[in-house]
Amino acid sequence: MITCGVEIKSNEAILCLLSKDRGLFQIIDCRQIRIPLVQSEDTEAMRKYQFTLKKLFEDYKVNQVAIKERPTKGKFAGSSAGFKIEAAIQLIDSVDVTLISTNELKESIKANPFPIPFSDTGLRAFQEGAFSVAYAVSSER
C-alpha cells in the first residue's frame, strides 16, 4: 500500500510517498515533491492543478492520501488557497483521503515512534510534516 503524505503550506502542497509492505516502510522517490497552486481564482487553473495531482497519484499507484489538517481560525490558520488545494485533493475519486489533526498526529507518532531519525531518511527538511502524516496513517493500518 502506498500512502502520500501531504502538508499544505501557503499555496503549495508538499508531498512524501511512503510504502508499507509486511510491516516494512520504504520512502519512494517522487518526481515532484512540491506542487504550487499558481492562480487560485481561476477555475481552469484549479482543474489543471487537480489533474496534476491525480496523474501523480495514478503514476505512483497511490492508494491513500493523508493530509495534515490546518486550523481554520487563529494565528496558524490556513489560507484560502490552501483550503482550495485540500478540496482539490479530497475530490479525487481514485484515492482514499484522510485528514489528520495535529493532536491525532502526535498521538499516533507517540504510540508508533519513527524507526529511524528523520535526518537519516534522505528527505528534505521541509518534507518532515508530509512524512510524519504519511507515517502516522500508514502505521495505523
Side-chain angles (χ1 to χ4, degrees), residues 21-123:
D21 186 27
R22 295 185 210 126
L24 297 176
F25 288 96
Q26 180 180 359
I27 297 170
I28 300 169
D29 286 334
C30 185
R31 68 175 174 255
Q32 209 169 356
I33 54 177
R34 283 181 158 173
I35 303 179
L37 176 61
V38 182
Q39 297 175 333
S40 65
E41 302 83 27
D42 185 23
T43 303
E44 194 56 40
M46 285 303 301
R47 286 189 179 126
K48 183 178 179 186
Y49 188 80
Q50 185 182 36
F51 176 79
T52 301
L53 288 165
K54 185 175 183 175
K55 181 73 173 135
L56 185 128
F57 297 155
E58 288 172 357
D59 291 350
Y60 287 97
K61 296 175 178 52
V62 173
N63 310 92
Q64 172 83 28
V65 177
I67 302 173
K68 185 175 180 184
E69 199 172 45
R70 291 150 308 114
T72 56
K73 298 179 189 174
K75 184 178 179 180
F76 300 106
S79 66
S80 63
F83 288 109
K84 288 179 181 182
I85 291 170
E86 186 177 301
I89 295 170
Q90 287 178 313
L91 292 174
I92 296 173
D93 57 0
S94 59
V95 293
D96 293 326
V97 179
T98 302
L99 289 175
I100 185 167
S101 69
T102 305
N103 290 338
E104 292 172 323
L105 181 62
K106 287 177 184 177
E107 290 295 320
S108 180
I109 291 176
K110 187 177 179 181
N112 302 303
F114 296 145
I116 60 171
F118 178 77
S119 58
D120 293 344
T121 62
L123 295 172

Side-chain angles (χ1 to χ4, degrees), residues 3-9 13-18 33 66-68 100 105 114 118 123-137:
T3 302
C4 179
V6 179
E7 182 176 28
I8 300 170
K9 288 193 174 180
I14 299 170
L15 309 175
C16 177
L17 297 177
L18 195 63
I33 54 177
I67 302 173
K68 185 175 180 184
I100 185 167
L105 181 62
F114 296 145
F118 178 77
L123 295 172
R124 307 202 78 181
F126 64 85
Q127 287 181 282
E128 187 170 3
F131 171 77
S132 299
V133 172
Y135 178 80
V137 170

